[in-house]
């Protein structure tokens, strides 16, 4: 077989006519297949370059308050360990440790420091998707308070007023008719209300909870708690709006 192949190659090299015809057919086939090969190459490149829009990728790439101290490499390591049924704790630059507390296809929650968390939720919006991000700071000593932000599918900041309306203080209370306590008095007791917001891994609800217990006058708190609702919930309808 080797001898036969060698002889065939030899014959082609020795025959100018055969060599010319061979070159001709190679050129024809190249021209004919070029568009097909080019489209396959472009399609393959597009698939490789197309980013995945899920909570893991958002968590790895999002520039948002609370995640600045975690590099992309660190975030990916945290996600890899989570997907391997393990928790990767990273020593924080501000003390304490950082680690993932939850990660699904459309939700992530990370403990950034002992007193701060970041929640990420991918939400449907028209024919696209956007990202809600909550940065909450506080503990048993400092009243919890949340910064709410939104980002588009390219992770660019959006005007949060378009997607979120904070509840009024009065929405956290239910004062029976004829009560000796009025909403005006409660507003005077709570001049600077703090609110902790949270998202759910199971659905698109947002929960709001008033967190004033730890810093207001204890006597005022005993009055306030009689009328305070446990929490408020807002359903995502292209915007989070609490109450009517």
């Amino acid at each position: 077989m080797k001898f036969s192949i060698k002889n065939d190659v030899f014959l082609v090299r020795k025959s100018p006519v055969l060599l010319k015809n061979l070159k001709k057919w190679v050129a024809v086939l190249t021209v004919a297949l070029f568009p097909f090969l080019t489209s396959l190459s472009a399609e393959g490149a597009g698939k490789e370059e197309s980013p995945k829009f899920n909570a893991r990728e958002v968590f790895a790439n999002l520039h948002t308050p609370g995640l600045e101290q975690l590099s992309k490499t660190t975030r990916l390591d945290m996600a890899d360990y989570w997907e391997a049924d393990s928790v990767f704790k990273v020593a924080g630059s501000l003390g304490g440790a950082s680690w993932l507390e939850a990660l699904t296809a459309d939700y992530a929650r990370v403990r950034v420091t002992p007193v701060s968390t970041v929640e990420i939720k991918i939400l449907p919006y028209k024919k696209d998707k956007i990202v809600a991000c909550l940065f909450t700071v506080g503990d048993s000593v400092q009243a919890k308070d949340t910064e709410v932000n939104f980002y588009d599918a390219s992770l660019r900041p959006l005007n949060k007023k378009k997607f979120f309306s904070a509840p009024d203080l009065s929405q956290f209370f239910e004062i029976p008719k004829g009560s000796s306590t009025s909403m005006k008095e409660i507003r005077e007791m709570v001049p600077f209300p703090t609110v902790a917001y949270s998202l759910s891994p199971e659905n698109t609800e947002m929960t709001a909870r008033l967190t004033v217990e730890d810093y207001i006058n204890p006597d005022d708190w005993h009055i306030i708690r009689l009328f305070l609702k446990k929490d408020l919930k807002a359903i995502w309808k292209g915007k989070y709006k609490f109450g009517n």
Side-chain angles (χ1 to χ4, degrees):
M1 179 65 71
K2 291 183 180 179
F3 177 77
S4 175
I5 292 173
K6 285 183 179 180
N7 279 342
D8 289 343
V9 174
F10 177 78
L11 287 174
V12 170
R13 288 177 177 174
K14 290 295 184 178
S15 174
V17 175
L18 288 176
L19 182 61
K20 182 178 179 181
N21 287 337
L22 179 62
K23 290 182 177 179
K24 177 181 177 181
W25 281 110
V26 169
V28 170
L29 286 173
T30 301
V31 172
L33 293 175
F34 181 77
F36 176 72
L37 295 174
T38 302
S39 64
L40 285 179
S41 176
E43 183 179 353
K47 289 182 178 179
E48 292 177 358
E49 294 173 1
S50 178
K52 297 178 180 178
F53 193 63
N54 54 40
R56 174 193 168 96
E57 295 302 316
V58 173
F59 169 60
N61 295 286
L62 186 61
H63 296 284
T64 190
L67 293 181
E68 305 96 331
Q69 63 175 300
L70 299 176
S71 67
K72 181 176 180 178
T73 300
T74 297
R75 299 183 205 182
L76 288 173
D77 287 342
M78 294 166 76
D80 287 341
Y81 273 86
W82 181 271
E83 291 170 353
D85 294 325
S86 184
V87 176
F88 180 48
K89 293 189 176 183
V90 183
S93 59
L94 301 177
S98 303
W99 68 90
L100 270 173
E101 294 183 334
L103 180 62
T104 67
D106 63 0
Y107 175 83
R109 176 185 169 92
V110 57
R111 172 67 58 177
V112 183
T113 71
V115 297
S116 65
T117 60
V118 169
E119 282 185 282
I120 294 168
K121 183 72 176 183
I122 297 176
L123 301 167
Y125 183 69
K126 296 182 179 180
K127 294 183 180 181
D128 205 349
K129 294 182 179 180
I130 64 173
V131 179
C133 188
L134 307 183
F135 175 41
T136 302
V137 177
D139 56 11
S140 59
V141 178
Q142 177 186 358
K144 290 185 178 181
D145 203 16
T146 302
E147 179 179 345
V148 181
N149 290 294
F150 291 86
Y151 302 86
D152 65 15
S154 298
L155 304 186
R156 295 171 297 196
L158 295 168
N159 181 359
K160 72 177 181 181
K161 292 182 179 180
K162 184 178 179 180
F163 305 98
F164 172 78
S165 293
D168 182 76
L169 181 63
S170 63
Q171 293 177 253
F172 288 100
F173 295 91
E174 188 171 352
I175 304 175
K177 188 175 181 180
S179 174
S180 59
T181 302
S182 66
M183 192 62 222
K184 179 180 178 182
E185 290 175 309
I186 290 179
R187 289 187 186 279
E188 292 173 352
M189 297 177 194
V190 189
F192 305 105
T194 52
V195 180
Y197 297 95
S198 60
L199 295 162
S200 171
E202 286 84 24
N203 53 55
T204 59
E205 282 186 345
M206 180 183 285
T207 301
R209 183 170 56 87
L210 192 66
T211 58
V212 298
E213 177 181 359
D214 296 320
Y215 73 85
I216 66 172
N217 184 296
D219 293 333
D220 290 342
W221 171 247
H222 288 311
I223 297 173
I224 286 175
R225 69 178 183 174
L226 298 174
F227 311 103
L228 182 64
K229 298 177 182 178
K230 184 177 181 180
D231 52 39
L232 302 176
K233 292 187 179 296
I235 300 174
W236 174 252
K237 295 181 179 179
K239 180 176 184 176
Y240 283 118
K241 185 176 180 181
F242 292 88
N244 298 325

